[in-house]
Amino acid sequence: MRYAQGGGLTDAGRAARERLRLQAVERFEGGQKNGEIAAGLRVSERSVERWRRAWRERGEAGVLSKGSPGRPRLSDKQIARLERELERGPLVHGWADQRWTLARVKTLIGRLFHVSYTVEGTWRLLKRHGWSWQQPARRAIERDDAAVEFVEEGDLAVGKSTAAALGAWVVFEDEAGQSMTPPRARTWGRIGRTPVVRVRGRGSGRVSMAGMACYKPGERSRLIYAIREYRGRKGEPKGFGWRDFRDLVVRARVQLGGPLVLVWDNARIHLVPPLRAFFEANAHWLTVFQLPTYAPDLNPQEGIWSLVKRDIGNLAAADLGQLTRAVKRKLKMIQYRPHLVDGCLVGTGLIMDG
């Protein structure tokens, strides 16, 4: 059979298929069995069974092809409406989870337009209009998209204008942590046999990280970070306190040599009175903007943490010191590769122009 570039049969292919079906009809009338016909025509016995059933019900006309399916049965206006409904998500349309399957899209088309599509036809329709089967990104239900849009177009735009007016650096801060249990990373393995990564069951502790991705038009992007180990000892702080954040901001000012526009989330530790007092006392060189809740995708420092954790994936650290060294090594490597810091900003969709 000859196939067209789009996957359908060419005219020659359709003609050859019609000849096969006509020959099958002749053999039905001659009393041949399905196996003999399948072997003689070099087709599957299942196809012959389907043709014979159609021949018994409707004669020769039932066996012959009804031609190509033709143009899609939904108008451009209906397609646009379908895409809007798909973008609203399955939850809005009564499904318990958030997966669009072909069967669900088929059902949605029937509900909206009273038009019946097959599952294969639904697949073709979606592919034709730029939809594909994808791994979704996660986003918190509590996220306020209106607030995120306001930050992108309002607060952050003001922050960039402020930075440009002051000749300041825009500094995105965030914290992360890593226990002795490493993040899982993809690896090659034999098909049908899930790879097993052996990690140490003993050992405790945690590495806390605070980092700042720093940007200024015309300057090389910078990464400034601090590391703290927690071994579970009595009186040992588990993570960073407000003094640590204050000292990190001061260090950034010294290293960058200019005023700062600090952008970070509204974690409780960022809102304590001593930090607010520090910000007010240093307002001549420090301006602070806070990201909305559940919007980590707006912070390029999150991308830095992703790079770090990808590098230590499947690491079976012997002790906390080995884990700390691995984290520091990766952060130091990123410091000397500003294009990685730039790439994390690009991943947020934000633009840092002059």
Side-chain angles (χ1 to χ4, degrees), residues 252-314:
R253 186 200 181 194
V254 173
Q255 291 188 16
L256 299 175
L260 306 180
V261 173
L262 175 63
V263 183
W264 60 1
D265 59 30
N266 55 3
R268 184 177 302 176
I269 190 64
H270 297 165
L271 306 176
V272 296
L275 270 183
R276 290 185 177 181
F278 169 74
F279 296 153
E280 292 173 1
N282 295 276
H284 59 286
W285 62 267
L286 178 61
T287 306
V288 181
F289 290 93
Q290 288 181 321
L291 295 170
T293 307
Y294 302 108
D297 50 303
L298 295 181
N299 195 334
Q301 186 60 39
E302 291 281 354
I304 301 292
W305 301 142
S306 296
L307 293 174
V308 172
K309 295 201 174 189
R310 185 176 64 186
D311 193 63
I312 62 174
N314 302 343

Side-chain angles (χ1 to χ4, degrees), residues 68-143:
S68 64
R71 299 180 64 82
R73 287 168 288 177
L74 296 182
S75 65
D76 293 341
K77 186 176 180 179
Q78 289 173 321
I79 293 295
R81 183 186 174 193
L82 174 63
E83 291 184 331
R84 288 196 301 270
E85 296 300 326
L86 290 175
E87 289 172 353
R88 294 177 65 195
L91 286 176
V92 176
H93 295 281
W95 281 283
D97 58 50
Q98 301 179 69
R99 294 181 306 124
W100 275 126
T101 63
L102 291 175
R104 290 179 178 181
V105 177
K106 171 181 177 294
T107 301
L108 181 63
I109 292 173
R111 290 178 184 174
L112 295 176
F113 311 113
H114 305 288
V115 175
S116 178
Y117 266 75
T118 64
V119 171
E120 181 181 1
T122 303
W123 178 84
R124 292 181 182 278
L125 177 70
L126 293 176
K127 291 287 286 185
R128 188 162 52 241
H129 290 88
W131 292 70
S132 63
W133 182 255
Q134 302 178 33
Q135 180 76 15
R138 290 182 176 178
R139 180 168 292 178
I141 292 177
E142 297 87 350
R143 172 188 172 109

Side-chain angles (χ1 to χ4, degrees), residues 182-187 197-199 309-310 312-317:
R184 287 186 294 179
R186 293 180 180 270
T187 182
V197 178
R198 300 185 181 277
V199 298
K309 295 201 174 189
R310 185 176 64 186
I312 62 174
N314 302 343
L315 172 67

Side-chain angles (χ1 to χ4, degrees), residues 9 14 17-18 21 51 60-69:
L9 286 170
R14 280 191 288 270
R17 184 174 58 185
E18 293 302 304
R21 296 189 179 195
W51 295 345
E60 181 178 315
V63 181
L64 297 181
S65 172
K66 297 177 178 58
S68 64

Side-chain angles (χ1 to χ4, degrees), residues 327-347:
V327 169
K328 286 184 176 180
R329 182 174 60 250
K330 183 62 176 180
L331 287 170
K332 179 65 69 175
M333 183 271 289
I334 296 174
Q335 278 188 322
Y336 286 95
R337 290 167 174 78
H339 66 278
L340 294 178
V341 185
D342 291 334
C344 293
L345 178 66
V346 172

